[in-house]
Amino acid sequence: LQALMLEGQNYTNAPVLGGPLPTSLLDLSALEIFTLSFTKFEGFLPSAFCIRLTKMRVIISRHGGLTATNGRLPESLAECRNLEIFWFEAIGLTGPVPPYIGNFTRLTILDLSKNNLDGPFPPFPFWAKLRELRLLKLNTNSLSGEIPEGFGAVSPDLLWVSVYRNRLTGPLPASLGQAKELRR
């Protein structure tokens, strides 16, 4: 099995998938794509998720797909080194953007929107390895500070940046002009 996509319905009184996530997920060694949206599963991914599932390229959890433990993403996700899509929208995240995300060198989509993330917008070193990034959604959080200079030069193929509904200050970095796809 290479893809497991568990999607619920987004309407009132819809039947909902839920319960604990089975640890037998860790036996799906060929799994590359895992999505949960509009479900009510309890807890988060097993701690060995990315250690055992080394081919994992896509993790998507939207609108209650998973519940962040104490509002935080587990440090064990740092082992997801092959991720191309890291999408955790509206799952109750709090605290700063996890620094290990900056090590996902294959990442093309990062979506942590509609959570309660706070603290400073990640500084330039966080973004330096994300050379493949095309879409960034950090909107509807409580991030503060400035978007760092050099941010726009990180990925020449950066296409979409959504950071509205935060507490950002300061000017837009001039380097955003270097993102040729963003200029279209």
Side-chain angles (χ1 to χ4, degrees):
L1 185 65
Q2 291 180 316
L4 180 58
M5 303 165 89
L6 303 172
E7 308 284 327
Q9 302 297 317
N10 184 19
Y11 62 89
T12 306
N13 298 322
V16 179
L17 290 169
L21 279 175
T23 55
S24 59
L25 283 175
L26 299 176
D27 297 330
L28 301 174
S29 60
L31 195 63
E32 295 180 23
I33 299 169
F34 184 65
T35 70
L36 293 170
S37 297
F38 301 104
T39 60
K40 291 192 177 185
F41 285 99
E42 300 165 7
F44 208 74
L45 300 172
S47 60
F49 188 78
C50 293
I51 295 168
R52 298 264 304 269
L53 303 176
T54 58
K55 295 179 181 180
M56 187 60 56
R57 295 182 306 108
V58 176
I59 301 176
I60 299 174
S61 179
R62 300 173 44 236
H63 299 279
L66 294 170
T67 305
T69 308
N70 298 325
R72 306 292 171 116
L73 291 173
E75 290 294 321
S76 60
L77 287 178
E79 300 301 321
C80 294
R81 304 211 187 269
N82 295 318
L83 281 181
E84 297 168 19
I85 299 175
F86 193 76
W87 192 315
F88 287 100
E89 175 187 352
I91 66 164
L93 295 177
T94 61
V97 174
Y100 58 77
I101 293 173
N103 292 322
F104 296 158
T105 59
R106 296 180 181 179
L107 204 61
T108 59
I109 296 175
L110 173 58
D111 187 336
L112 298 175
S113 65
K114 300 177 185 174
N115 283 292
N116 297 305
L117 294 172
D118 58 18
F121 191 87
F124 180 75
F126 174 93
W127 305 103
K129 295 179 185 175
L130 301 180
R131 305 287 305 153
E132 305 296 321
L133 192 65
R134 293 190 51 82
L135 183 142
L136 171 67
K137 290 180 67 181
L138 294 175
N139 58 279
T140 319
N141 281 291
S142 293
L143 298 173
S144 58
E146 295 185 10
I147 298 172
E149 186 51 57
F151 171 78
V154 168
S155 174
D157 296 322
L158 190 62
L159 183 62
W160 184 289
V161 176
S162 180
V163 293
Y164 66 91
R165 290 192 181 153
N166 278 289
R167 296 179 300 161
L168 301 175
T169 57
L172 286 175
S175 62
L176 280 175
Q178 295 176 17
K180 63 184 177 207
E181 295 296 321
L182 198 59
R183 289 188 282 177
R184 287 186 170 186

